[in-house]
Amino acid sequence: MDIAVVVLLLLFASFVAVGVVATVRTVRAVKRGVERGSAQARRVVEDTALKARRYTLMGAAGELAQLRLDLRTSIDSTYRALEAGSAEDASLSEASALLARLNDHARVLDTELKVLEREPDKARIADRLPSLAERTERITHSADALRWAAQDRARQFADDDLTALAQQIDIEAGALRHWAPSTLPVGGPTGGPAGDPKHISRS
């Protein structure tokens, strides 16, 4: 009897532990989903504000907004291109790792640009704009190079596959058209043509 009680207690404790673990994992997953959703919402708001400043503000303020937009657009587009191709092409993993490192530099630069947007000294902004624009161009050029290479690679794979498929279809089409009429003689497998004098019995 005591053993049965111990077993039941152990089973109950196991069920409770499993339930706690499942609950914790669910809460964490929900939290991650909420955080991702909040981050995406903030990003959309920021991008919209940048576009508005780009077209409504003149001078250095508009240039800063344009630099931030260029930076974000290039990095985000490259991320999407690599994610789309990585499912079918494992060799893109190295490119994704390089893009992650490049994105670290993009974040630092974006922060500098964001801080400079609130700088009241116009002379300081004008002094720093050329170097910031040059860094932005270097980062966007590298991101664009990765994206274009991934696109070219995907297109080449598609072309190669289509060429191979077309060759296989040509071979199969030729095989389907290759037919031959029956070679059996009319008089049967062992006899000659009907009416052959050699096969007419003589009386």
Side-chain angles (χ1 to χ4, degrees), residues 3-145:
I3 296 177
V5 172
V6 171
V7 170
L8 289 175
L9 289 175
L10 289 175
L11 288 174
F12 178 75
S14 300
F15 288 142
V16 170
V18 171
V20 169
V21 171
T23 302
V24 170
R25 289 182 176 178
T26 301
V27 170
R28 289 178 178 175
V30 171
K31 184 179 179 181
R32 287 194 297 269
V34 171
E35 290 175 349
R36 283 196 298 267
S38 300
Q40 290 174 353
R42 287 195 301 270
R43 182 60 180 271
V44 170
V45 171
E46 289 181 357
D47 288 349
T48 302
L50 285 173
K51 291 176 182 178
R53 287 201 296 271
R54 170 64 185 89
Y55 294 108
T56 57
L57 298 178
M58 303 299 293
E63 292 182 34
L64 288 172
Q66 184 63 59
L67 290 177
R68 293 186 67 192
L69 281 173
D70 292 344
L71 199 62
R72 292 176 172 218
T73 300
S74 180
I75 293 291
D76 290 347
S77 299
T78 304
Y79 261 119
R80 287 193 294 269
L82 294 183
E83 286 177 357
S86 60
E88 299 179 357
D89 190 354
S91 63
L92 292 179
S93 59
E94 179 63 24
S96 298
L98 292 174
L99 181 61
R101 292 174 56 190
L102 186 65
N103 188 45
D104 292 338
H105 290 276
R107 284 196 188 120
V108 172
L109 178 56
D110 185 69
T111 300
E112 293 182 32
L113 292 168
K114 187 175 182 179
V115 170
L116 202 60
E117 285 178 336
R118 299 189 291 270
E119 173 60 48
D121 189 345
K122 303 301 182 183
R124 177 171 174 78
I125 295 177
D127 181 64
R128 296 207 49 202
L129 258 179
S131 64
L132 293 172
E134 190 268 339
R135 284 171 61 193
T136 301
E137 197 279 332
R138 289 174 61 189
I139 291 175
T140 57
H141 176 75
S142 296
D144 292 345

Side-chain angles (χ1 to χ4, degrees), residues 152-181:
D152 292 343
R153 183 179 179 86
R155 183 171 58 252
Q156 184 61 47
F157 281 167
D159 290 343
D160 292 345
D161 185 66
L162 180 59
T163 299
L165 179 60
Q167 291 174 348
Q168 293 175 1
I169 290 175
D170 289 342
I171 293 173
E172 181 62 22
L176 290 174
R177 290 193 180 94
H178 183 72
W179 64 83

